[in-house]
Amino acid sequence: AYDEDTTDGNNISSNTLDDYEEGTWTFGIQYHNGSAWVNGGYDAAPANTTGSYIKVGRIVHITIYTGVFNVNAATVSNSARISGLPFNNTSAAEQYNVLTIAHGDTFTNSAAAGYVEVNSNTVRPTVPGGIATDTWKDGNVYMMMTGTYITD
């Protein structure tokens, strides 16, 4: 814990950093089948599904590099969602935290960003220049994703 030395009469406990954590999280894919979100499948699974995170207080920073993967026919062309973030995003209304996605060829419209859904541990990649959810692309793809979001 970090404890700031205060000589100005401030309460020291309010200046103590006592919530720091590092760990891993498991990348997953989901798609919308027309009525609900379901887990997606692979023709070729990612070489890596383990991302890392650092949590300081309510702030969570995540990163992952998947390596090559190929989603199966049921998943292709359906709305995409990434699952498995280590903590739910805040439940506060209108708190959609944005994450950056490199190698957007994972998605039909080359999404370069996505948002963490409110009170959820999922990310919706968005169509560049719009608000629509992008769809999973067929073929060998890979993805890097990083960003910071707020949890309760």
Side-chain angles (χ1 to χ4, degrees):
Y2 171 77
D3 194 358
E4 181 181 317
D5 181 19
T6 61
T7 57
D8 59 2
N10 288 336
N11 182 343
I12 290 179
S13 65
S14 67
N15 297 313
T16 301
L17 174 62
D18 60 357
D19 185 9
Y20 177 88
E21 180 180 334
E22 294 183 24
T24 60
W25 61 281
T26 303
F27 168 85
I29 64 170
Q30 296 179 335
Y31 69 95
H32 200 275
N33 67 8
S35 60
W37 288 100
V38 296
N39 290 330
Y42 302 102
D43 287 335
N48 177 48
T49 59
T50 303
S52 61
Y53 73 87
I54 297 173
K55 180 177 180 282
V56 180
R58 294 179 52 219
I59 306 298
V60 181
H61 182 78
I62 63 101
T63 187
I64 189 165
Y65 172 68
T66 63
V68 175
F69 66 96
N70 189 334
V71 298
N72 66 17
T75 306
V76 168
S77 300
N78 285 301
S79 291
R81 194 161 80 168
I82 299 160
S83 63
L85 295 182
F87 302 94
N88 279 3
N89 190 23
T90 182
S91 58
E94 307 299 324
Q95 294 296 312
Y96 298 97
N97 295 281
V98 176
L99 304 181
T100 301
I101 301 168
H103 302 297
D105 68 343
T106 305
F107 308 103
T108 307
N109 297 292
S110 302
Y115 63 88
V116 184
E117 296 180 287
V118 171
N119 200 31
S120 177
N121 70 340
T122 57
V123 177
R124 288 228 202 155
T126 53
V127 172
I131 60 171
T133 302
D134 211 339
T135 57
W136 292 109
K137 184 177 176 183
D138 195 11
N140 289 332
V141 298
Y142 55 102
M143 185 181 68
M144 294 178 193
M145 183 173 70
T146 191
T148 302
Y149 66 101
I150 301 169
T151 189
D152 286 333

